[in-house]
Structure formats: structure tokens, C-alpha cells
């Protein structure tokens, strides 16, 4: 081939590339318009875009996190010295109940689901989530339920029986007014939301993956959220059943928990803790999954032991359902039965240890890039191992009997949840912030935040181990002078203020960086998973062309020569998504997804009226079902234009 022929060939290739680029730009603009939400008020009420719903979820959960933190600061201020009269016993009971309920039901679980809703479609090469209207409905139910609880608290009707709401303390004989009723209905709101989100996540991962993303190529973060979602499906109905029985006892004089009429007080504890201990893993497993996403990027190598990691996640989820009685070692449970739960409580440490060893192997064989997300990851190892060691101690019945109702348990719980969930969550926030906003957070501010949180958290909760061993009971609003608890409580309160300052630094950093942070680009960290192949922040449709996956880390494993790299044939002017097979992710069929609609919001409003009104009269259940039925019917009523569009798309080859 002479020089002229080579020149002509290069020119032809350049023209083809230019044409492809022009076509891609036109396709991108058309898809962005097709998948966009309406402007103005209708955007807030009608959006079904998974990224918008997820961002609302994240912001709302962070607001509840801040409120729960303020309540914790109020408790630590009350306990900073003996015989303090800043807060009275009734208000303190409401505050510590609201703090626990907020952190467990309104922050820890929903914020993990929110990250999954935002990230998983991008990680698996999808343009949306399954059931986008259900996703929007779940957000509104969560928001309305949390708002109801705080309005009740501001009206001096906040729950006061603990975040576990034990009967008979929460029952009709001892639970004054409507306090426990508001708590029980908050459970209904948040569990409905959590169950719906679990269905969305499972279906999205199993049916909307990009071609080629077989089950053994699914990102570990997605695996962790699938395991968590299955746990939610099996565990949350127990607490919903228990809270419904509690409301019925209080409102219509049933006797589920009244021993005088054949009920059983311990039935509540069994129902609640059958949910309550897996719930710790609803929070913990997503935290582990954050680490599995962050560590490979900052070690700059694929995760070590992928298959062992997946099996460990599944094993942890399975074993978590066999531990609930270790919360009940002080009840009249047969001693032989307690021994089985002791064994199970120790056994569950094994799959977590396997994951820790895999992470350590990944870090040890990689080239570490020390940035703020990695600092939070490394802190996880230190804090969680301490919390896990005290967990093994509490799994022993003799020790648990001695320290069960002391601050030792408070210290253990916070070491596990903060080390296993909050630190990984903040690492994930710094890691994916460029994806959310398109800008980088300030590294110096990030490290200041980390060290304040790290030292503050340990200073706040480590002394509580000693307080517990010295006999200081939990759930008390004050203590006498001369007990020897003064100094430890002072240090714990100072540590709590320090940790709160660290969190505040992160929030200020996030707000500053939103406008002034350095532009991130699509892949600022050099990650290997598909979310870094999209724009930062992503387009409404995520991917202009659906990718074809050829490895576990698609951005680190380019497609072999001569193989397909993208999917073609999906509609541009309609919200069409490719559905793939469960195991091998082979193209199955194309599905038309719904446009923005107000009916999830209106249905959530109707459901909220039903739930809140039923606190005051049982007849609300009957009459309140009418607007709910109307809203749901109109939600699913087929629209003529959508039917014609669907029929037209089905006729394509």
C-alpha cells in the first residue's frame, strides 16, 4: 500500500470516527431529554429517576442523622457531671428513645439503601432501577414516617420506652398517651419503605445487568446489597407484625402481650430481636460492601478472593438469623438453648474474618494511594476488631449476665456500628462524592474530619467499657456523686463533642466543594467498576450505549479484539431498558419503563393519612383504605399513549 492509500484510509477512519461521535452526541442529547424529569414543582412530585430519588434519600437521612446526633449531644451534656438537672427524666427518656430510633430506623438502614439505589444501576450497566415508581413511593413513605415521629416529639408525644419499645413498658398499662403508638406507626412507615427498596434492589441486580455481567462478575457492593435486601425481606415482617400487635393491644384491647389473658410478654422480645439482630447486619454488610469497592481502587489491584468474599457475605446473612436470643440471656430461656445461641454468636465472626483477611491481602499486595477514603477504611479495621472482641465477650452467658444492662453494651454497640458502618459510610461518601457532584472534596479538610472523628469516637466510647465494668447502668438520666463515674463520663462527653465536630467538618467540606472543588472528570480515582465509565455527575440515562462486560473490573479489563463492546437497538425517544437473564446476563427482552408521574407521591400521602389517623381511631383503617385504593388504581391504570408506544416497540425485530 502506497502513502496515498494509507492517507486515504486514515482520512476514512477519521471521518467514520467523527460521524460516530456526532451520532453519539445526537443520541446522548435525545436520551437525556427522554429520561429527564419535568422542571419546577413537578420535578419534586413526579420524579422517578433513581439518582434523584437516591439523592433525596441521602440528604433526608443525613438530616435525621444530624437530629439524632443533636439528641446524643444533649444526653452526653446531661451526663457530663453527676446529679445534673439540665434534662428531666421524662424528657431524657424521650431523647434516648428518639436517638436510638432515629439512628437505627431513620438513618443507618435507609442511607445504605439510598447509596445502593444511586450506584447499583451504574455499576451493572443499567439506565434505571426496576420498579422506579415503587422506588419513589418508598422515599415518600420514609420521609413522612420520620417527619411524623419528630412532630410528635416536638409536641411532647415522643416515644419514651427505648428504641426497642419493650412491653409492658410500652403497653396500654404503662405507656402514657400516644407515645408508643407514634413509635409503632413509624416502624410501619419505615419498614414498608425498606421492604419496597429491597425488592427494587434485588430485581435490579438480577434482571437489569449489562450483557456479559454474569453472577461471578457482579461487583461486591451489589452482592452485599442483594444479601442485605434478602435479609430485609425475611426479617422486617417480624417487627411489623410485632408493632401491629402492640398497636392492637393499645387501641382495640387485644392481649398479645398480656399474660393475665393468655398473652406473653417475651413474645415481643422474640419478634423484635428476630428482626433486631439481623438489622445490625442490614447496617454492617453494606459497610463491608463499601470497603470491597474502595479497597481495590486505592490498592490499585483487583480484590483478593472474590468467590470467598461472596460466600462470606451470604454466610453472614444466613447466620445473622440465628443470634437473636443473645439479646435475651437475662430472660427465662432454657440454659441449653442459650448455649446454642452462644455458639452461633461466636461462629458468625468467621465469615467476617475471612473478608478481613481478603482485604488485608489486597492492601498488602497493592500500591496504596493514601487518600481520605482509605483513611476511613483503615480505621474500620481498628475500631471493628475492638467491637468484635467485646461482641465475643458478650456472647458468653456468664459475662453477659453481669454487664447486660450497663454501659459496656452501649460501648460494644457503638464500636460495632460506628466502626462497621459509619466509618465505611464516610469513606464511601468521600469516594463517590465526585460521582454525585462532579467535583472533588478538599483532601486537607477530609483528613481533619477523619482524625477528629477517629479520636473523638474512641474517646467517647472506650471509657464506657470501663463504666460498664464498674456497674454504671444504661438508660439512666443521672447518677450520684461519689460513684467514681465522673471522670469517665466527662471524657466520654468531650469525645462525643470532638466526633460531632469532625462530622461537621465533613458537612462543611461537602457544601464548599459543591461550588469550589476541583472538577473530577469521569474517573478521578482510577476505579475499575462501571459507575466510573459514566459522566460525573451522570446523565439522566446513565449510559448512552449499554456496555457489554468482559470481566469483573470492566474498566481495567478491556474487551478482547473483535468482540462487542456495546448494545445497540434500544429506543432513543422512549424509556426502554434491556432485561437480561438471571445467571449469565444474556439479553432476554426489552422493557418500556414509566414516565414521571405524581401517583406515587399522592398514594404515599393517602397512606400517610391512613396510618396517622389509625393511631386515633380504628375506623380510619376502613375509611382510609378508600383514597389509598384510588391512588394505587390510578397509579397502575394503563395510559393510552403508553399502551400504543409499547405495542409499536414490540413489533420491531
Amino acid at each position: 500500500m502506497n502513502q496515498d492509500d494509507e492517507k486515504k484510509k486514515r482520512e476514512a477512519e477519521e471521518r467514520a470516527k467523527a460521524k460516530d461521535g456526532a451520532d453519539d452526541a445526537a443520541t446522548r442529547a435525545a436520551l437525556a431529554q427522554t429520561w429527564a424529569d419535568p422542571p419546577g414543582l413537578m420535578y419534586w412530585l413526579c420524579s422517578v429517576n433513581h439518582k434523584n430519588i437516591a439523592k433525596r434519600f441521602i440528604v433526608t437521612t443525613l438530616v435525621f442523622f444530624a437530629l439524632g446526633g443533636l439528641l446524643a449531644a444533649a444526653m452526653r451534656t446531661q451526663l457530663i457531671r453527676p446529679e445534673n438537672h439540665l434534662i428531666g427524666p421524662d424528657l431524657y427518656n424521650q431523647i434516648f428513645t428518639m436517638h436510638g430510633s432515629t439512628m437505627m430506623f431513620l438513618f443507618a438502614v435507609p442511607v445504605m439503601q439510598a447509596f445502593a439505589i444511586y450506584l447499583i444501576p451504574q455499576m451493572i450497566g443499567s439506565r434505571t432501577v426496576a420498579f422506579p415508581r415503587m422506588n419513589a413511593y418508598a422515599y415518600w413513605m420514609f420521609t413522612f414516617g420520620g417527619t411524623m415521629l419528630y412532630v410528635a416529639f416536638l409536641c411532647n408525644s415522643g416515644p419514651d420506652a427505648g428504641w426497642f419499645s419493650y412491653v409492658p413498658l410500652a403497653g396500654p398499662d404503662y405507656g402514657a398517651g400516644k407515645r408508643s403508638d407514634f413509635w409503632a406507626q413509624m416502624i410501619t412507615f419505615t419498614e414498608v419503605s425498606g421492604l419496597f427498596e429491597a425488592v427494587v434492589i434485588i430485581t435490579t441486580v438480577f434482571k437489569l445487568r449489562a450483557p456479559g455481567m454474569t453472577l461471578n462478575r457482579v461487583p461486591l457492593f451489589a452482592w452485599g446489597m442483594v444479601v442485605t435486601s434478602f435479609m430485609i425481606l425475611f426479617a422486617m415482617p417480624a417487627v411489623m407484625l410485632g408493632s401491629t400487635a402492640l398497636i392492637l393491644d393499645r387501641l382495640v384491647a387485644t392481649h398479645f402481650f398480656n399474660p393475665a389473658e393468655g398473652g406473653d410478654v417475651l413474645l415481643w422480645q422474640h419478634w423484635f430481636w428476630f428482626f433486631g439482630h439481623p438489622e445490625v447486619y442490614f447496617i454492617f454488610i453494606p459497610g463491608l460492601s463499601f470497603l470491597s469497592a474502595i479497597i481495590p481502587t486505592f490498592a490499585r489491584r483487583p480484590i483478593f478472593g472474590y468467590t470467598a468474599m461472596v460466600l462470606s457475605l451470604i454466610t453472614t446473612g444466613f447466620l445473622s438469623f440465628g443470634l437473636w436470643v443473645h439479646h435475651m440471656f437475662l430472660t427465662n430461656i432454657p440454659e441449653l438453648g442459650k448455649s446454642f445461641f452462644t455458639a452461633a454468636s461466636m461462629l458468625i465472626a468467621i465469615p467476617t474474618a475471612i473478608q478481613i483477611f481478603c482485604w488485608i491481602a489486597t492492601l498488602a499486595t497493592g500500591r496504596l494511594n493514601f487518600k481520605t477514603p482509605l483513611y476511613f477504611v483503615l480505621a474500620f479495621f481498628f475500631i471493628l476488631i475492638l467491637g468484635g472482641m467485646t461482641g465475643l465477650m458478650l456472647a458468653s452467658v456468664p459475662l453477659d449476665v453481669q454487664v447486660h444492662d450497663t454501659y459496656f453494651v452501649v460501648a460494644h454497640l457503638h464500636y460495632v456500628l460506628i466502626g462497621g458502618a459509619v466509618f465505611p459510610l464516610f469513606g464511601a461518601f468521600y469516594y463517590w462524592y465526585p460521582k454525585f457532584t462532579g467535583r472533588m472534596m478538599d483532601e486537607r479538610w477530609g483528613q481533619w474530619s477523619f482524625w477528629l472523628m477517629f479520636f473523638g469516637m474512641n474517646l467517647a466510647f472506650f471509657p464506657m467499657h470501663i463504666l460498664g465494668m464498674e456497674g454504671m447502668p444504661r438508660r439512666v438520666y443521672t447518677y450520684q456523686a461519689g460513684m467514681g463515674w465522673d471522670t469517665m463520663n466527662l471524657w466520654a462527653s468531650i469525645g462525643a463533642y470532638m466526633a460531632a465536630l469532625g462530622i461537621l467538618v465533613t458537612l462543611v467540606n461537602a457544601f464548599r466543594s459543591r461550588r469550589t472543588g476541583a472538577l473530577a472528570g469521569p474517573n478521578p480515582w482510577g476505579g475499575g467498576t462501571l459507575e466510573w465509565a459514566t459522566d460525573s455527575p451522570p446523565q439522566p440515562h446513565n449510559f448512552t450505549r449499554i456496555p457489554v462486560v468482559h470481566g469483573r473490573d470492566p474498566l481495567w479489563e478491556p474487551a478482547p479484539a473483535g468482540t462487542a463492546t456495546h448494545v445497540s437497538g434500544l429506543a432513543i425517544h422512549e424509556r426502554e431498558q434491556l432485561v437480561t437473564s438471571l445467571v449469565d446476563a444474556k439479553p432476554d427482552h426489552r422493557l418500556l419503563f414509566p414516565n414521571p408521574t405524581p401517583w406515587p407521591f399522592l398514594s404515599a400521602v393517602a397512606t400517610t393519612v391512613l396510618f396517622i389517623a389509625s393511631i386515633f381511631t380504628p375506623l380510619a383503617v376502613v375509611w382510609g383504605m378508600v383514597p389509598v385504593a384510588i391512588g394505587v388504581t390510578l397509579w397502575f391504570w394503563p395510559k393510552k399513549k403508553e399502551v400504543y408506544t409499547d405495542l409499536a416497540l414490540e413489533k420491531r425485530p
Side-chain angles (χ1 to χ4, degrees):
M1 182 181 295
N2 58 36
Q3 292 182 351
D4 290 339
D5 292 337
E6 290 180 357
K7 182 178 179 181
K8 291 178 182 179
K9 182 179 179 181
R10 286 197 301 270
E11 290 175 352
E13 289 175 350
E14 290 172 0
R15 286 195 298 270
K17 289 180 180 179
K19 183 177 183 300
D20 289 342
D23 290 344
D24 279 351
T27 301
R28 175 192 176 101
L31 285 169
Q33 183 177 2
T34 299
W35 289 85
D37 286 321
L41 179 63
M42 299 306 290
Y43 161 78
W44 291 101
L45 302 184
C46 300
S47 176
V48 293
N49 184 292
H50 73 96
K51 296 181 292 295
N52 294 332
I53 301 300
K55 286 189 288 187
R56 294 178 192 178
F57 249 121
I58 292 171
V59 171
T60 306
T61 55
L62 289 177
V63 169
F64 285 128
F65 178 60
L67 293 173
L70 292 174
L71 295 173
M75 287 190 288
R76 289 316 314 168
T77 304
Q78 167 65 16
L79 296 172
I80 200 169
R81 64 184 180 89
E83 300 182 29
N84 199 352
H85 299 290
L86 178 67
I87 299 173
D90 180 68
L91 179 58
Y92 188 87
N93 284 344
Q94 291 187 63
I95 287 175
F96 94 77
T97 301
M98 288 290 295
H99 167 73
S101 300
T102 298
M103 292 305 192
M104 299 301 282
F105 296 108
L106 300 178
F107 169 67
V109 176
V111 75
M112 301 301 185
Q113 291 183 314
F115 268 80
I117 291 298
Y118 189 98
L119 293 167
I120 283 179
Q122 299 173 70
M123 283 185 168
I124 64 173
S126 174
R127 287 177 176 164
T128 185
V129 294
F131 313 121
R133 292 177 295 188
M134 182 190 293
N135 186 39
Y137 177 82
Y139 167 73
W140 292 115
M141 289 296 293
F142 162 76
T143 303
F144 293 154
T147 303
M148 175 205 69
L149 187 69
Y150 270 87
V151 169
F153 174 63
L154 294 175
C155 297
N156 196 34
S157 291
D160 59 355
W163 75 275
F164 35 78
S165 201
Y166 280 170
V167 294
L169 189 61
D173 294 333
Y174 300 98
K178 296 294 182 182
R179 291 179 171 183
S180 293
D181 299 314
F182 282 114
W183 181 89
Q185 284 296 58
M186 181 274 296
I187 294 297
T188 307
F189 276 100
T190 56
E191 305 318 313
V192 165
S193 174
L195 286 168
F196 283 4
E197 292 290 44
V199 171
V200 170
I201 291 169
I202 291 170
T203 311
T204 300
V205 173
F206 280 170
K207 295 301 295 178
L208 300 185
R209 302 195 307 276
M213 186 173 282
T214 59
L215 286 181
N216 66 348
R217 292 175 177 172
V218 172
L220 285 172
F221 176 76
W223 266 118
M225 292 310 304
V226 166
V227 171
T228 302
S229 298
F230 273 112
M231 293 167 63
I232 288 172
L233 291 182
F234 284 102
M236 279 191 172
V239 74
M240 292 180 69
L241 180 64
S243 64
T244 303
L246 178 61
I247 287 180
L248 292 174
D249 272 14
R250 292 176 57 85
L251 297 183
V252 296
T254 55
H255 299 285
F256 288 101
F257 309 117
N258 183 3
E261 299 293 338
D264 188 354
V265 173
L266 284 186
L267 177 61
W268 168 261
Q269 292 197 39
H270 281 293
W271 270 339
F272 183 83
W273 288 118
F274 184 80
F275 150 82
H277 196 83
E279 189 199 19
V280 174
Y281 289 90
F282 301 168
I283 303 165
F284 182 56
I285 289 180
L288 304 183
S289 304
F290 287 144
L291 266 65
S292 295
I294 296 170
I295 286 175
T297 298
F298 289 94
R300 292 181 276 198
R301 61 146 293 168
I303 196 76
F304 178 87
Y306 175 91
T307 303
M309 296 283 284
V310 174
L311 294 176
S312 295
L313 287 170
I314 296 171
T315 304
T316 301
F318 180 78
L319 290 177
S320 71
F321 283 88
L323 312 180
W324 82 92
V325 172
H326 78 212
H327 294 274
M328 302 169 60
F329 280 164
L330 268 66
T331 61
N332 190 26
I333 300 293
E335 296 301 320
L336 181 61
K338 293 178 183 178
S339 67
F340 288 112
F341 286 93
T342 292
S345 300
M346 295 181 177
L347 182 64
I348 200 169
I350 296 175
T352 303
I354 291 173
Q355 294 188 73
I356 290 175
F357 290 139
C358 289
W359 292 320
I360 291 174
T362 305
L363 292 168
T365 56
R367 294 175 293 111
L368 301 187
N369 180 19
F370 284 96
K371 299 293 184 181
T372 301
L374 188 60
Y375 279 88
F376 281 99
V377 166
L378 297 177
F380 159 90
F381 291 98
F382 176 81
I383 297 172
L384 180 75
I385 288 173
L386 284 177
M389 290 172 64
T390 56
L392 292 173
M393 294 166 66
L394 289 171
S396 172
V397 176
L399 179 68
D400 187 81
V401 168
Q402 296 298 316
V403 300
H404 182 80
D405 278 321
T406 72
Y407 262 82
F408 190 92
V409 174
V410 177
H412 159 71
L413 176 66
H414 285 83
Y415 260 85
V416 170
L417 292 184
I418 293 177
V422 174
F423 271 77
L425 176 65
F426 271 74
F429 185 71
Y430 276 90
Y431 179 58
W432 279 300
Y433 183 86
K435 182 54 56 181
F436 297 151
T437 66
R439 294 185 180 271
M440 304 293 291
M441 293 181 75
D442 186 273
E443 186 66 21
R444 185 177 61 177
W445 281 60
Q447 294 193 19
W448 270 105
S449 172
F450 166 76
W451 288 113
L452 285 168
M453 289 178 63
F454 180 77
F455 284 115
M457 180 269 163
N458 283 284
L459 187 60
F461 296 107
F462 191 83
M464 293 183 187
H465 293 100
I466 302 172
L467 286 170
M469 297 300 287
E470 291 182 351
M472 181 176 177
R474 50 182 171 150
R475 308 170 194 152
V476 293
Y477 85 104
T478 191
Y479 52 96
Q480 292 180 332
M483 300 294 291
W485 302 337
D486 310 30
T487 303
M488 291 297 175
N489 273 295
L490 174 62
W491 282 115
S493 296
I494 292 173
Y497 301 149
M498 185 184 297
L501 179 60
I503 294 170
L504 181 62
V505 170
T506 286
L507 295 178
V508 173
N509 191 4
F511 281 111
R512 286 180 70 253
S513 301
R514 185 70 180 87
R515 292 182 176 274
T516 63
L519 293 175
N523 191 3
W525 305 116
T529 44
L530 278 178
E531 78 271 21
W532 300 112
T534 63
D535 294 334
S536 298
Q539 293 290 315
H541 54 280
N542 292 339
F543 296 92
T544 300
R545 295 189 294 174
I546 301 295
V548 175
V549 175
H550 297 277
R552 287 177 183 160
D553 297 289
L555 302 190
W556 293 349
E557 302 176 45
T563 59
T565 59
H566 295 88
V567 174
S568 61
L570 293 175
I572 297 175
H573 298 290
E574 301 295 339
R575 297 188 173 207
E576 192 173 44
Q577 168 65 37
L578 181 67
V579 179
T580 54
S581 61
L582 173 62
V583 177
D584 297 324
K586 294 181 178 179
D588 191 358
H589 62 279
R590 295 172 288 199
L591 188 64
L592 194 64
F593 277 73
N595 291 307
T597 172
W599 290 114
F601 168 75
L602 296 175
S603 298
V605 170
T607 311
T608 299
V609 172
L610 165 63
F611 285 170
I612 295 179
S614 66
I615 294 174
F616 301 95
T617 172
L619 290 177
V621 176
V622 178
W623 296 109
M625 287 300 297
V626 176
V628 172
I630 293 173
V632 173
T633 300
L634 293 174
W635 173 351
F636 288 101
W637 196 266
K639 312 299 187 295
K640 184 181 294 185
K641 180 180 177 181
E642 293 179 357
V643 172
Y644 288 154
T645 301
D646 202 11
L647 290 173
L649 292 175
E650 285 182 358
K651 293 179 180 179
R652 293 173 304 168

